[in-house]
Amino acid sequence: MAVQQENLQSGIPDWSIQVPSPTASIPLPGTGTLHTSASSASLLTTSASNKPKILLMGQSKSGKTSIRHVVFHKMSANETQYLESTKKIDKWDISSKSFLDFELWDFPGKFDIVTYCLQEGKVEQIFKKAQVVIFVVDPLDDRTGSNNTVEKLHQTISLANKVNPELKFEVFIHKSDSINEDQKLESIREVTHRISRKLINNGLQEKIESGLRYKTTSIYDHSIFEAISQVCQQLLVSVIQPFESLLNAFVYSNKMEKAFIFDIHPKIFVATDNCNPLDIHTYELCCDMLELISDIVCIYQEGEIEDKDYILTSSSINLHDSQLYLKQVNRNLALICIQQGDDCDASNQGILEYNFQLLKNGIHSVLKVANM
């Protein structure tokens, strides 16, 4: 494994680069620290943030809080068994040490949203500024015949639809590691059928067609990171298309198999190319490389480093049939790409580095236009 470093303040080449202009601006990522609310009441009455929100909902013991800790706080999956159940609505600012800038609201499984929203103004406080609702389902719980989960999802969609018809719903059929492959498809089919039937019977068919997606997830593999990545990309609509165009050109020019732009701290990929379909094995390799290099950097980094002294990391790992590259774009973003063995020619490294500088310059231009 080769590791190189580049100073953040080093000059960027002067060549001009044409990048698609984002269609809308996104708020400047904040620098606040992670915090939780003192209580549900104080959260909903004092929060004046204009940041987009992602709501994390579902029944008790479905795995909501575990998802939050594994993805955003680097807790190992085995440690989550010691987490206590969520007692109140917790609000988390995800802007600290991250390119992403949003609030994650974690709702208790026993939260009675219908009763709460009967109070004047409460529906708007919860759903008005929300961008996505992640509704977590335990397939084992649903196979027992209980309709509580389906009913709770229906109530949530009905209430949200009154104040925010554009709100997207992502149903995570979670704990997929707890069922074998034969049961998995049957469980997924049963859960999706019951949810769809309930919504159609209550006149919410348009939500099925435009605002409801299903994903199978587990905190014991990379599926949860992939699912959360696709959710977070919905908050970055002004930069996704320019990023994808830049990655497409980079992959084509360098004969890469796949390329990702990762948000380094939570291991969430912000964008990927469209040249080749997303393969879970390739994605897992890139995630593992990011985690490995991050751990190595932490060993030699003492405390917080000012931006003017920050060092950008560049790394490569040789595998038996391919090569992985990690090249940091800025403090929070990194390019990770994979190249097959036939195309890994040492004589092309200069061209690869030149094209990466063009890509990095393009990303900086997109972020400048988007005011990020």
Side-chain angles (χ1 to χ4, degrees), residues 239-252:
V239 300
I240 288 294
Q241 185 174 356
F243 279 1
E244 289 178 350
S245 298
L246 289 167
L247 288 173
N248 288 342
F250 181 80
V251 167
Y252 178 78

Side-chain angles (χ1 to χ4, degrees), residues 34-47:
L34 191 66
H35 64 279
T36 60
S37 61
S39 67
S40 301
S42 65
L43 167 65
L44 294 176
T45 56
T46 63
S47 178

Side-chain angles (χ1 to χ4, degrees), residues 37 39-41 43-44 55-65 68 84-91 105-113 116 126 135 152 156:
S37 61
S39 67
S40 301
L43 167 65
L44 294 176
L55 310 182
L56 193 56
M57 297 181 164
Q59 295 286 65
S60 296
K61 304 295 183 181
S62 60
K64 305 182 301 298
T65 303
R68 186 185 78 196
E84 295 183 359
S85 297
T86 305
K87 305 297 183 184
K88 62 183 185 303
I89 305 174
D90 283 340
K91 181 184 75 171
W105 288 21
D106 185 3
F107 285 75
K110 296 181 180 179
F111 182 75
D112 188 345
I113 192 168
Y116 186 85
I126 293 177
F135 198 91
K152 186 169 186 175
T156 303

Side-chain angles (χ1 to χ4, degrees), residues 108-223:
K110 296 181 180 179
F111 182 75
D112 188 345
I113 192 168
V114 175
T115 301
Y116 186 85
C117 288
L118 289 176
Q119 304 175 57
E120 184 177 356
K122 298 302 182 183
V123 178
E124 289 80 2
Q125 286 180 330
I126 293 177
F127 295 112
K128 191 66 175 178
K129 294 180 180 179
Q131 301 290 321
V132 184
V133 173
I134 299 174
F135 198 91
V136 184
V137 176
D138 182 351
L140 291 180
D141 176 58
D142 272 76
R143 288 194 302 115
T144 62
S146 170
N147 286 311
N148 292 340
T149 299
V150 176
E151 181 61 30
K152 186 169 186 175
L153 175 58
H154 163 248
Q155 293 171 347
T156 303
I157 293 176
S158 298
L159 289 168
N161 213 43
K162 295 177 181 178
V163 297
N164 190 356
E166 302 301 319
L167 182 61
K168 305 296 183 182
F169 281 78
E170 301 277 349
V171 179
F172 285 9
I173 302 177
H174 197 47
K175 302 182 180 179
S176 59
D177 57 284
S178 61
I179 53 180
N180 59 45
E181 291 299 324
D182 294 333
Q183 295 174 315
K184 187 177 294 186
L185 290 177
E186 179 184 351
S187 299
I188 294 171
R189 191 182 304 112
E190 182 180 349
V191 171
T192 54
H193 173 70
R194 287 166 54 195
I195 292 173
S196 299
R197 184 176 58 187
K198 182 72 173 181
L199 294 177
I200 291 173
N201 291 341
N202 289 273
L204 293 170
Q205 184 172 355
E206 73 282 353
K207 184 62 69 173
I208 300 174
E209 298 171 350
S210 62
L212 187 64
R213 297 194 302 180
Y214 299 89
K215 296 179 176 66
T216 57
T217 58
S218 170
I219 59 174
Y220 290 94
D221 56 35
H222 291 84
S223 61

Side-chain angles (χ1 to χ4, degrees), residues 66-78:
S66 297
I67 291 174
R68 186 185 78 196
H69 281 273
V70 168
V71 174
F72 295 105
H73 311 311
K74 290 195 170 183
M75 179 179 285
S76 69
N78 291 329

